[in-house]
Amino acid sequence: MSFKRHAHETTERRDPMQEFADRIVEQLEQGVKPWVRDWNPDKCEGPQAPFNPVTGGRYHGINVLILGMDMRAFQTGDPRWMTYQQAHEKGYQVCKGEKSTTIFFTKSYEVEDDKADDGKKAVRILRHYAVFHASQIDGIPPHKAPTVEEAPSWTRPEAADIILKNSRAVIRTGGDRAFYSPTTDHIQLPPENAFRGPPEFAATALHELSHWTGHPSRLNHDLKPRFGSAGYAMEELRAELSSAFMAGEIGIPADIPNHASYIQNWLKPLKEDKREIFRAAADAQRIVDMVLGFHPDFAATAELHPDRPRSVPPKSEAPSPAA
């Protein structure tokens, strides 16, 4: 007697989280930091952080990393992404044969918990959905980068100075190294004239400010591991990603020179647990929110409103808001 197999019995189920983690690992093994793009001040046309033009919301966390790594956005200078349904509702059409990009959102569920006072606890589950870049969509109006006057004030050259001043971080200059010291809770930077230009100085200063946020009185990261350890490298990965996220928000270089051994030390935890890159990206987003929050105009935006969910699945589990 023969039995007919159902499709779900013979087709291996996709694991988008693992696929993305594998993609990160593959590029790191080649010595490439996939979140870094060449910075050309002559081609900077305003903020390049990915956003949803239908909702007006910016993407966050792991989705900034996923969409920021996509060459279409980089080559076109267009940071717009949306779902198929959103494109359809606006009268646009996703081009035939185009492949979507998988991004993620969290969904909260209530489960029974005998230890909780009300017998329930909230559990957050990571879900995924598909979006398309503007270049994959027919009928969408051309992207118009904001002018200097239209762009948010935190994208202007003086923004880094405002952020550093308002953070009240202790910053000392001198020597040829840039670092944050958890012991003395201060940032050390070479003199500004040691850098190629103000943007490179700003990028390095904000990178070290990212480490500064890890102090126990702030975001409380584990800053004790020694140089060369996996823990030290993962702290550097959080700051690396936060630098990349901030680069898209405020228009500064994303590539921060660091020790070559970091990449090798990142590989082991990223290979062992597909969630590690997601955790690092989530931590990086919290860093960015704190650092950019020192700019009063950024802090005033709804993006930092504590009651606003980072990602909300709409009707029929086909998310439309930016995650």
Side-chain angles (χ1 to χ4, degrees), residues 107-125:
K107 184 175 178 64
S108 295
Y109 296 90
E110 279 195 346
V111 297
E112 295 182 359
D113 183 4
D114 295 337
K115 297 180 180 179
D117 292 339
D118 60 356
K120 297 179 180 180
K121 70 174 181 179
V123 177
R124 295 174 66 83
I125 304 296

Side-chain angles (χ1 to χ4, degrees), residues 21-47:
D22 290 344
R23 181 183 168 197
I24 292 287
V25 167
E26 180 182 4
Q27 294 196 44
L28 289 176
E29 286 180 330
Q30 296 172 10
V32 175
K33 293 188 290 187
W35 47 84
V36 171
R37 293 284 180 252
D38 291 335
W39 187 78
N40 185 341
D42 296 329
K43 295 183 179 179
C44 289
E45 299 181 350

Side-chain angles (χ1 to χ4, degrees), residues 218-239:
R218 300 172 198 116
L219 297 181
N220 194 25
H221 295 159
D222 183 4
L223 301 176
K224 295 178 181 178
R226 295 183 178 181
F227 178 81
S229 68
Y232 189 101
M234 292 310 293
E235 166 59 19
E236 194 60 37
L237 178 58
R238 286 192 287 263

Side-chain angles (χ1 to χ4, degrees), residues 28 31-33 227-228 233 236 240 256-267:
L28 289 176
V32 175
K33 293 188 290 187
F227 178 81
E236 194 60 37
E240 270 269 341
I256 307 298
N258 54 27
H259 201 282
S261 64
Y262 287 150
I263 289 182
Q264 291 304 313
N265 289 332
W266 292 336
L267 284 170

